[in-house]
Amino acid sequence: MVDDRQSREGEEPHSVTTHSEESDAGMVPEKSAKMWVTPVESMEGRAAAKGKSVSRNALRAQDRQGAPTQVERIGQRAKEKKGERFDNLLSAIQAPLLKEAYQRLRKRAAPGVDGITWEEYGEHLDARLLDLQDRIHRGSYHPQPVRRVHIPKGDGRTRPLGIPALEDKLVQQAARMVLGPIYERAFLGFSYGFRPRRSPHDALNAVAVAIDRKTTWVLDADIRSFFDTIDHGWMQKFIEHRIGDKRMVRLLMKWLHAGVMEDGELRAVEEGAPQGGIISPLMANIYLHYALDLWANQWRKRHARGEVYIVRYADDFVMGFQYEKDARAMREALASRLATFGLELHPEKTRVLRFGRFARQDVNRDGRTRPETFDFLGFTHIAGVSRRGAFLLTRRTSRKKRNAKLASLRDEMRERRHEPVRMQHAWLSSVLRGHYQYYGVPTNSRALQQFRECVRAGWHRQLQRRSQRAEWTRPQRATFDRSFPLPLSRIQHPWPSLPRAGP
């Protein structure tokens, strides 16, 4: 438990004065017999320098290693006592932590409803943070409504995205820094979404390993509008299961109740969590940890006859089964379990399908010419065949993701049509390198090459439209490509059984 003494009046757990030289014994008085009294006893001596703040604790005299901060001590406590509730967390949100949270924010992120940017908030930053710290501890901090925008999805629909005000982002970042170490020790191993040192490719590798083992059936599950249907009552109960600090719980719930500003109109929010907030991924993981992860882990131990594999990334998850009966039973039990917490499986996107090394042999049983496929984290997973005729998990860029990306690139290339060619080349090169960095997995080389050719052809088309009379011949195209070559596709991520290149 975080030491209650740090929350006493006049103490700053993140601030301390250090001296590079040995102190004069006549200027520094001895400590009182009682170190912690109320009020704190005042002693004569040389005071700390004004205006100098230190974000870490004191350095030890021998090894010169920094003592753990209050947030680090919270993480150590959570690791040592996994079932303990934390009753004094809000005291960790002090001005030094808020300043560190401010530095971690994206400097070019879109502003919220107040229009304040990162640079504007940085003016008189120390005074702002002290005032914010005081409002948080007095309970007078109230978040502003999130600004809602809609971003296009691959199927023609849009996804609502909430953009909090910068001050709300700052407090959310500080709260995540405090709560993250607590829940990181509680989350199960098959949860990969928005966790430190875990990436989407780690989740993809986990799926590949599961399919390579004993998976013959796959449950491809999709929760309908998860972020929009989170029940606030259950969310508060899940938080209180581990957080006993009522002030911290109220702070978290304030963000859920802040409301949404859309088209100049304020809308109250009765359920759901806005996507785009810094704290939203953590709260989504907390909700699914109790509503899904713990239950699914127990279900496979108690009810499954064969092996069951689970990989979850945020609200997107896949389950692999050794036997069809277990997959069908989980499908029914999962729907009932999620309904208890106000969630619903999408009836059209949730499927039980035959997959794995025997899928091609048994495909005739389902009346199909080829095995079914499923999408996960932007990749279509296919039960393929290697050159030797053996089973090979094939991953291709999802057609929906590829078409959506190409459509957005065509629009942006049209807007950049009259920019200098060198600027367009640098921009498209960075786009392709980022695409290769994510989608550069084994068996996806052809899709990467096709994406590059589509980008190259679209760029040529836009450049020719600079003039109504411009029409390139084949030699002109070849000369232009030699002058402004686009990056070639590369496989960036090896199979999980192979060592990763580099240090």
Side-chain angles (χ1 to χ4, degrees), residues 48 68 73 79 85 150 164 183 190 250 258 262 291 303 306 313 365 390 412 462 474 500:
R73 290 197 298 270
K79 183 178 181 180
R85 298 176 74 236
H150 293 270
Y183 285 102
F190 56 76
R250 283 196 298 267
E262 187 174 8
H303 304 287
Y313 193 92
R365 299 182 183 181
E412 192 163 356
Q462 294 301 327
R474 182 173 297 180
R500 185 180 297 274

Side-chain angles (χ1 to χ4, degrees), residues 1-4 73-74 77-90 178-179 182-183 186 235-250 290:
M1 192 69 63
V2 180
D3 199 333
D4 292 339
R73 290 197 298 270
I74 292 174
R77 191 76 176 186
K79 183 178 181 180
E80 296 171 358
K81 300 183 179 181
K82 296 183 179 181
E84 185 175 359
R85 298 176 74 236
F86 289 77
D87 299 325
N88 187 22
L89 292 176
L90 198 68
V178 173
L179 298 176
I182 298 176
Y183 285 102
M235 184 80 256
Q236 182 170 346
K237 291 180 181 179
F238 292 153
I239 296 173
E240 291 175 344
H241 185 75
R242 199 70 196 274
I243 307 302
D245 190 339
K246 295 182 179 180
R247 299 183 303 165
M248 177 63 80
V249 176
R250 283 196 298 267
Y290 291 103

Side-chain angles (χ1 to χ4, degrees), residues 74 97 101 119 135 144 148 208 234 248 286 357 402 406 432 436-437 473:
I74 292 174
L97 184 67
E119 291 82 1
R135 286 187 284 123
Q144 302 182 57
R148 173 168 288 179
W234 280 111
M248 177 63 80
I286 295 173
R357 60 182 65 255
R402 182 194 62 189
L406 288 175
L432 286 175
Y436 301 154
Q437 183 63 34
T473 62

Side-chain angles (χ1 to χ4, degrees), residues 40-51:
V40 179
E41 293 180 352
S42 60
M43 298 179 292
E44 296 181 357
R46 183 170 54 194
K50 295 182 179 180

Side-chain angles (χ1 to χ4, degrees), residues 38-148:
T38 305
V40 179
E41 293 180 352
S42 60
M43 298 179 292
E44 296 181 357
R46 183 170 54 194
K50 295 182 179 180
K52 184 178 180 180
S53 60
V54 180
S55 59
R56 287 190 59 85
N57 288 0
L59 293 176
R60 298 174 181 174
Q62 299 296 328
D63 53 14
R64 315 301 291 176
Q65 295 180 359
T69 63
Q70 189 172 3
V71 173
E72 292 172 344
R73 290 197 298 270
I74 292 174
Q76 294 175 359
R77 191 76 176 186
K79 183 178 181 180
E80 296 171 358
K81 300 183 179 181
K82 296 183 179 181
E84 185 175 359
R85 298 176 74 236
F86 289 77
D87 299 325
N88 187 22
L89 292 176
L90 198 68
S91 62
I93 302 181
Q94 303 286 341
L97 184 67
L98 292 172
K99 190 170 186 178
E100 182 179 353
Y102 171 79
Q103 298 296 337
R104 293 190 182 188
L105 296 180
R106 293 175 53 192
K107 298 177 177 56
R108 303 301 178 186
V113 294
D114 57 358
I116 297 179
T117 62
W118 188 88
E119 291 82 1
E120 293 173 350
Y121 194 87
E123 300 175 0
H124 310 290
L125 179 62
D126 292 337
R128 287 178 181 266
L129 295 182
L130 289 175
D131 175 69
L132 178 60
Q133 168 191 297
D134 182 62
R135 286 187 284 123
I136 292 174
H137 289 191
R138 287 190 291 109
S140 60
Y141 161 76
H142 299 287
Q144 302 182 57
V146 298
R147 181 170 66 89
R148 173 168 288 179

Side-chain angles (χ1 to χ4, degrees), residues 165-202:
L166 189 131
E167 186 175 77
D168 298 330
K169 293 179 185 178
L170 194 157
V171 183
Q172 289 183 18
Q173 176 74 354
R176 190 176 71 170
M177 293 167 64
V178 173
L179 298 176
I182 298 176
Y183 285 102
E184 185 59 27
R185 271 75 177 183
F187 292 152
L188 300 185
F190 56 76
S191 171
Y192 289 87
F194 306 107
R195 296 180 59 184
R197 295 178 297 277
R198 291 192 171 213
S199 68
H201 290 94
D202 294 328

